[in-house]
Amino acid sequence: MARPAIQLQEITVTARKRPEVEKDVPISLTTVEGAQLEDLSKTRSNADLARSVPNFNFVDLGGQSSNLANIRGVGSFSPVSPDDTSVVFYVDEAPQSVYGIAPNLLDTERVEVLRGPQGTLFGRNAQGGAVNIVSRLPTFDRSFSLTGEWGTKGYGLGELIANSPLIADLLAGRVAMRYSNYGGDVPNILLGGNDAATKIGAFRGSLLYTPTDRTTVTFSGSYNKDDDTVPRWLLRGAADFPVSAVNPRNDVDRENQNYNLKVKHDFGPIVFDSVSNFQRTTSFQVTDLTDSLVFSKLTGLPRAFFSVPGADIANIGIGENTWMQELRLSAPKESAIAWTTGLNLFRTEVALDGNARSITPAFATATGIRNNDFSTNSYAAFGEATVPLIGALKGTLGLRATHEEKTASYRYNGVGTPGTVASYAQDLGLKDDFLTGRAGLSYDWTRDFMTYVTAARGYVTGGFPANSINNPLGKPEAPFAASTSWTYEAGFKSELFGHRVKLTGALFFNDVKNGHLFVFNVPTASFTVATLDYQSWGGELEGTVRLTPTFEVFGGVGITRAELVNVPIGSATGAKNGGRVPNVAPVTANVGFQHQVSAAHLGLNGDFFVRGNYQFVGTRAADVANSFDLPSYGIVNGKFGWKGQNFKTYVFANNLLDERYEAFGQSFGPTTQSVRVGQGRIVGLGATAKF
């Protein structure tokens, strides 16, 4: 039953693979939905989403790595394989590759960001947490909407969403399409015009079939395309920063096909779920290895020496196929004992083909023709149950057993670069068996106040680097080790003052062994895994207050301290004991509001609305050696408009103050640092019409 308008509405989540009210889930999680979700950037969705969630950091590395993040300081900073991550993005329960397209959040119902190890129910590599993206399903109502947005710097967006019953009470369909364009905002001094342009297209069609009131079948097929020319290496401190000096422009083209079939049947005492998924992801990137500003500063040579078109260039193509099948049995929603158990099968095949040439000696190991193939087979059985113990005390216990098999095939052919071999071949394989799980206690002090404590085991599988930098020298590539962790958490969830206030908080401690961090190899300008131990601790506090039926204030703050530990003296990584884990902000925060007021006093129908938020990200270390810091920054976003029954128009500003923040950094030495810069200000207007 819906609550009165003055009260905050209950949010139902599936953070434990079954429908539950958010405040009853003993996990630290943030749910982004409604207007907050609608207002997220359409061109940088992952970055804007992360800034809306305390202790969630998106690692904007660029290139093929679109889905890379850390939560509470736990996460791979620079992945060297498609599954080298500790935070996994899921779209409708299907895991997304690190090398995949960033979820565009088109026609999305909600996003659940789950902090702490989620390996019990979400599976492989969710050591730091999981991002659960839930798309809107078809309904048996007829609706149609068109949205258009126009803004500065060549920004434009068109969106169509249509829903209709196809057979009354039996079959319904839904279609969502979007195309957006951004002209770029990083001047290129060699080619003219701007780099950092983006073009994003998305389509999803879905069907809902309900043969009985106990059976639901949903099928969706989607196609996504994401092209950008965002530079990876800009000279930090350059005159008129940010400015690019590459020729040709860096160009990354990505495509993804995703097919998802879900079957749910309620047997009464048991609910059955099946999820079948296939994805095909491809990307192709052209990269000028030598930004002339960066390498002129580094070497002292004239800029013209590094400005020859095609002299230092890499072409990289990646194709990835993934299959997943999951079968689950769960207790019905109102059961006193809440439990879920199931089986999961997962397979991925990745082909990485590269062709690179360079006249710059430093890039000798980046040159050559590569044909590298990788496969992973994963088999898992899992279960979790929450059981009443004494009075209002409940206990939760979950366990997942996983067996994985991985193979790697490296093939290298030289192109005559001095110091490299003519050819090299290598085949590798590994098998791994591991357990993940969590145990916890929760206590319901009242219906609206709960406290909990948990301990969880996290695991990220070992594997093989996708990019071979040793083969060109006639040396074998070495696998990287698995990472393990223990996480301890204590938290509370509450609703106060007649459900007008929601307040949640948690404290945590992470102890990570062989964490997959990164080392930037200056001579080859490439990244390799550094398996280092580290610890992180801190907490988050979030709140929402509904002051009136039409005025709401929300916000949150996260505190994280993440330090390297057990680092060998004189480590080749440059890391030291007590050093900060890279790209982890000690403070993340956001605060926002939304307000709506009747337009009747102006003689108009409908309502005026205004929404705004401020997002803060603290100072971060750029690398494991803590060579330099990426400064803290704040982003201001806002929207103001009028909406009637079937029409809405508005003006909006993303990054209103035009903060050109540094999102990622790498040191080429004490005098030369390069960074990747965030997107600047977009101001525009938009309209939505419903039919």
Side-chain angles (χ1 to χ4, degrees), residues 10 35 87 91 275 390 409 483 498 582 631:
E10 285 188 340
V87 176
V91 176
V275 182
I390 302 173
S409 172
S483 172

mmCIF file of all heavy atoms in Angstrom, residues 10 35 87 91 275 390 409 483 498 582 631:
data_model
loop_
_atom_site.group_PDB
_atom_site.id
_atom_site.type_symbol
_atom_site.label_atom_id
_atom_site.label_comp_id
_atom_site.label_asym_id
_atom_site.label_seq_id
_atom_site.Cartn_x
_atom_site.Cartn_y
_atom_site.Cartn_z
ATOM 1 N N GLU A 10 8.370 3.510 0.239
ATOM 2 C CA GLU A 10 9.239 2.355 0.380
ATOM 3 C C GLU A 10 9.878 2.003 -0.961
ATOM 4 O O GLU A 10 9.254 2.133 -2.009
ATOM 5 C CB GLU A 10 8.452 1.144 0.899
ATOM 6 C CG GLU A 10 8.102 1.215 2.375
ATOM 7 C CD GLU A 10 7.501 -0.096 2.867
ATOM 8 O OE1 GLU A 10 7.028 -0.881 2.009
ATOM 9 O OE2 GLU A 10 7.505 -0.335 4.086
ATOM 10 N N ALA A 35 13.830 10.808 -10.029
ATOM 11 C CA ALA A 35 14.412 12.028 -10.597
ATOM 12 C C ALA A 35 15.937 12.019 -10.514
ATOM 13 O O ALA A 35 16.616 12.523 -11.414
ATOM 14 C CB ALA A 35 13.846 13.247 -9.889
ATOM 15 N N VAL A 87 34.886 -4.713 -8.561
ATOM 16 C CA VAL A 87 33.524 -4.183 -8.519
ATOM 17 C C VAL A 87 32.882 -4.519 -9.861
ATOM 18 O O VAL A 87 33.356 -4.073 -10.910
ATOM 19 C CB VAL A 87 33.497 -2.665 -8.277
ATOM 20 C CG1 VAL A 87 32.073 -2.130 -8.335
ATOM 21 C CG2 VAL A 87 34.143 -2.329 -6.929
ATOM 22 N N VAL A 91 23.734 -5.743 -15.453
ATOM 23 C CA VAL A 91 22.538 -5.205 -16.090
ATOM 24 C C VAL A 91 21.525 -6.339 -16.178
ATOM 25 O O VAL A 91 21.754 -7.328 -16.867
ATOM 26 C CB VAL A 91 22.842 -4.635 -17.486
ATOM 27 C CG1 VAL A 91 21.553 -4.169 -18.157
ATOM 28 C CG2 VAL A 91 23.826 -3.481 -17.383
ATOM 29 N N VAL A 275 17.862 -17.357 -15.338
ATOM 30 C CA VAL A 275 18.388 -16.225 -16.083
ATOM 31 C C VAL A 275 19.367 -16.766 -17.120
ATOM 32 O O VAL A 275 20.354 -17.425 -16.772
ATOM 33 C CB VAL A 275 19.109 -15.217 -15.170
ATOM 34 C CG1 VAL A 275 19.601 -14.026 -15.988
ATOM 35 C CG2 VAL A 275 18.196 -14.745 -14.045
ATOM 36 N N ILE A 390 16.481 -15.402 18.127
ATOM 37 C CA ILE A 390 15.813 -15.157 19.404
ATOM 38 C C ILE A 390 15.130 -13.803 19.330
ATOM 39 O O ILE A 390 15.798 -12.786 19.107
ATOM 40 C CB ILE A 390 16.812 -15.177 20.577
ATOM 41 C CG1 ILE A 390 17.547 -16.513 20.635
ATOM 42 C CG2 ILE A 390 16.098 -14.901 21.894
ATOM 43 C CD1 ILE A 390 18.656 -16.554 21.661
ATOM 44 N N SER A 409 46.311 -17.793 -24.932
ATOM 45 C CA SER A 409 47.149 -18.102 -26.085
ATOM 46 C C SER A 409 47.712 -16.792 -26.621
ATOM 47 O O SER A 409 46.955 -15.908 -27.039
ATOM 48 C CB SER A 409 46.321 -18.809 -27.171
ATOM 49 O OG SER A 409 47.074 -18.946 -28.364
ATOM 50 N N SER A 483 43.362 -12.564 -5.664
ATOM 51 C CA SER A 483 43.301 -11.661 -4.521
ATOM 52 C C SER A 483 42.218 -12.139 -3.564
ATOM 53 O O SER A 483 41.121 -12.529 -3.996
ATOM 54 C CB SER A 483 42.992 -10.233 -4.982
ATOM 55 O OG SER A 483 42.748 -9.386 -3.872
ATOM 56 N N GLY A 498 7.702 9.522 11.560
ATOM 57 C CA GLY A 498 6.575 9.128 10.737
ATOM 58 C C GLY A 498 6.946 8.861 9.298
ATOM 59 O O GLY A 498 6.188 9.195 8.379
ATOM 60 N N PRO A 582 45.930 3.965 -4.712
ATOM 61 C CA PRO A 582 45.610 4.968 -5.726
ATOM 62 C C PRO A 582 44.125 5.074 -6.044
ATOM 63 O O PRO A 582 43.373 4.115 -5.952
ATOM 64 C CB PRO A 582 46.405 4.498 -6.951
ATOM 65 C CG PRO A 582 46.659 3.056 -6.709
ATOM 66 C CD PRO A 582 46.782 2.892 -5.235
ATOM 67 N N PRO A 631 43.831 16.477 -7.593
ATOM 68 C CA PRO A 631 43.184 17.372 -6.624
ATOM 69 C C PRO A 631 41.713 17.039 -6.411
ATOM 70 O O PRO A 631 41.046 16.430 -7.259
ATOM 71 C CB PRO A 631 43.337 18.755 -7.272
ATOM 72 C CG PRO A 631 44.404 18.605 -8.304
ATOM 73 C CD PRO A 631 44.322 17.199 -8.775
#
